[in-house]
Structure formats: structure tokens, C-alpha cells
Amino acid sequence: MTWNGHIAVVTGAASGIGTGIAECFAEVGAEVVVADINERLGAQVTADLQGRYGKGLFIKTDVSKADDCKRLIDETLSAYGQIDTLVNNAGVNFVKPTLEMDEADWDRVVNVDLKGSFLCSRYALEAMVARCSGAIVNIASVHTVATLPAAAPYAASKGGVDMMTRSMAIEFAPYGIRINAVSPGLTDTQIWNDIQDAAEDAELARQHWMDNIPLARVQTPREVGNVVLFLASEQSSYVTGANIFTDGGMTIQLTNRERFASKSLEGKAPQGGTPI
């Protein structure tokens, strides 16, 4: 397909996965709206996209606020006349023991990760329905199917994003609008750096994560972006309501895998099959 004239809005595009997604769209020739609350980083990313691809418009946006979400869509329509793809990527990662959380902690995560995705979708869908065309890709998480302790608001938000995706996919399918989700696993972003920095033994922490990922590596933001690009393209014209996992296989195993590829095993699984 040709991406010339394709308008993609990416929230949380000033860093991490969002930047990788924005780069993927710009690289193929789409116009990219960089939406983020961080004005400095947002302007930097936009300038980089413009310099490398001649694409990029920054709109400062707090997705937890309805007025900001509506303004994002209105300004995009004013600049380009249409919205072909909305990527709801803006999110807040959060880990804190439940008994130490307060209402503000809960609201901060849910308002960005879940409500923000709803609000941006709600206003973008008005324009998409009018054209009977469009795609929305919500960035969920492996936390939609498996989670960790002390992550209740984040897990709840991402689980909500998954089910919201399904409900909206059904509702707007008659208008030719496809709505899907992508659930990344461990990704090479600031969060991964923070995990390593917080560990008592960074090398041991890295090995722990690699032992829990069948592909035994961290993915890049661009690898998430490639899947988003697929879901926004005509190549996925019959895909809606799906949640695609880009997690290196993290969520498919029952327990920590053993390294069966050792010389002693010669590539053969032990008797009795895979241990449980």
C-alpha cells in the first residue's frame, strides 16, 4: 500500500515505544502527529522526524484530560483534514505495594493508561465514522494475561484496554473501522533501564529476564512499531478486535524454561516432554 497522505496520531510518542512507532510510520511516508505531555522531548522527536523523513507535527497533549484529547483531534483535523490511524500508546508504568497506595496513585495510572485511550478514541472515532474508514491500535501489555505483585492499577488499566478494544471493535466494524491492541513484553526503554538500575545485581537481573523470555533478548521499540504498522495497513484488512503479543514468547510458558539446547541434551527434549 502507499502511505502517502496517511495521517497517524501517536500518543506518548516523545519517548520509548511511542517514538519507535512514530519512526515506523514516518519511515514509510505517513504524516505523523507526535502527541505527548512532555513538550521538550516531544519537540525533539518531532524535529528528528522532520530532519530524517520530512514528517512530524507536535501537539502537546495530556491524555488524562478530555479537553486536551479533543484539541489533539481537532488540531490534527485542522492540519491534515483526516485521521487514518490513532495509536493510543501514552501510559504510566507503576509498581507499589497495594497497602501503600492511595487514591491518587490509582487515579494517575488509570486516568492515563485507560481513560486516556478511551478519550482519544472517542474523539477520533467521530471523524473516522464520518469517513467510514480508520484504524485504532491500543498499546496494552503482557499484563492483560499475566501480571506481577504490586502492579494492581497498571494491570487493571491494561486489562481494561484489552476489553475496551474488543467492545469498540464490534461497535465500529459496521463503519469499516478496525480496532486492535498490541501487548508488548520487555522492551528496550527507560523502564528496562530502571529495572536494571534498581537491582542489587544488574547482571543477575538481566539473566533472570532472559531466562523467562524464550527468544532470550529484549525487543526494540521499532519491533513493536512494525506490528502497529501492520495493524494500520491494508495487510491486516480482516483483523479487528485482536490483541497481538510482542513479548518474545514470555507469556506462553508455564514456568521458567530450562536451556534444553545444551550439548548434553543434543537438542532433544528430556523424557516425559517439557517439565511443568
Side-chain angles (χ1 to χ4, degrees):
M1 65 174 285
T2 176
W3 291 92
N4 290 333
H6 188 102
I7 314 303
V9 177
V10 184
T11 68
S15 62
I17 290 174
T19 299
I21 294 169
E23 288 175 347
C24 286
F25 275 104
E27 187 175 68
V28 297
E31 299 289 346
V32 182
V33 176
V34 174
D36 204 285
I37 195 171
N38 190 317
E39 189 168 5
R40 180 182 63 83
L41 290 180
Q44 287 180 0
V45 168
T46 304
D48 179 63
L49 294 177
Q50 291 172 343
R52 287 195 287 162
Y53 310 111
K55 310 291 182 181
L57 170 67
F58 175 64
I59 299 177
K60 184 178 180 180
T61 310
D62 180 348
V63 300
S64 70
K65 298 179 179 178
D67 288 347
D68 266 31
C69 295
K70 186 176 187 304
R71 179 176 53 79
L72 167 64
I73 301 306
D74 288 346
E75 290 188 13
T76 300
L77 293 173
S78 177
Y80 298 110
Q82 67 190 56
I83 297 174
D84 296 289
T85 300
L86 167 67
V87 183
N88 287 309
N89 167 77
V92 175
N93 187 52
F94 185 78
V95 177
K96 191 176 184 180
T98 298
L99 296 183
E100 296 177 14
M101 293 182 199
D102 57 26
E103 184 178 7
D105 292 327
W106 177 272
D107 288 346
R108 184 171 69 90
V109 179
V110 174
N111 286 349
V112 174
D113 293 19
L114 180 56
K115 188 174 79 170
S117 296
F118 162 73
L119 289 171
C120 289
S121 297
R122 184 253 181 274
Y123 294 115
L125 281 164
E126 288 185 353
M128 291 178 177
V129 166
R131 297 177 63 228
C132 287
S133 177
I136 294 176
V137 182
N138 297 316
I139 304 303
S141 167
V142 291
H143 284 261
T144 59
V145 296
T147 192
L148 297 167
Y154 185 77
S157 297
K158 293 304 185 178
V161 166
D162 181 33
M163 293 309 296
M164 182 184 71
T165 298
R166 301 183 193 201
S167 178
M168 286 185 174
I170 298 168
E171 183 177 359
F172 291 96
Y175 299 96
I177 300 166
R178 297 182 300 105
I179 304 175
N180 292 288
V182 175
S183 285
L186 191 62
T187 310
D188 190 9
T189 65
Q190 186 59 48
I191 294 172
W192 172 230
N193 293 334
D194 292 342
I195 290 173
Q196 297 173 86
D197 291 342
E200 292 184 8
D201 186 326
E203 182 56 37
L204 188 62
R206 284 190 289 270
Q207 190 60 52
H208 166 78
W209 282 98
M210 295 311 101
D211 286 344
N212 281 277
I213 300 172
L215 289 183
R217 67 175 178 84
V218 180
Q219 76 179 329
T220 69
R222 290 289 295 265
E223 288 180 303
V224 181
N226 287 334
V227 177
V228 172
L229 202 64
F230 165 72
L231 290 173
S233 76
E234 294 171 0
Q235 301 302 313
S236 63
S237 58
Y238 203 59
V239 179
T240 196
N243 184 7
I244 298 179
F245 285 77
T246 62
D247 66 350
M250 181 190 296
T251 57
I252 63 174
Q253 57 190 349
L254 292 174
T255 186
N256 291 5
R257 67 182 183 138
E258 294 182 10
R259 301 287 185 173
F260 296 141
S262 66
K263 292 182 180 179
S264 61
L265 292 175
E266 296 181 346
K268 299 178 180 179
Q271 291 184 345
T274 305
I276 295 177

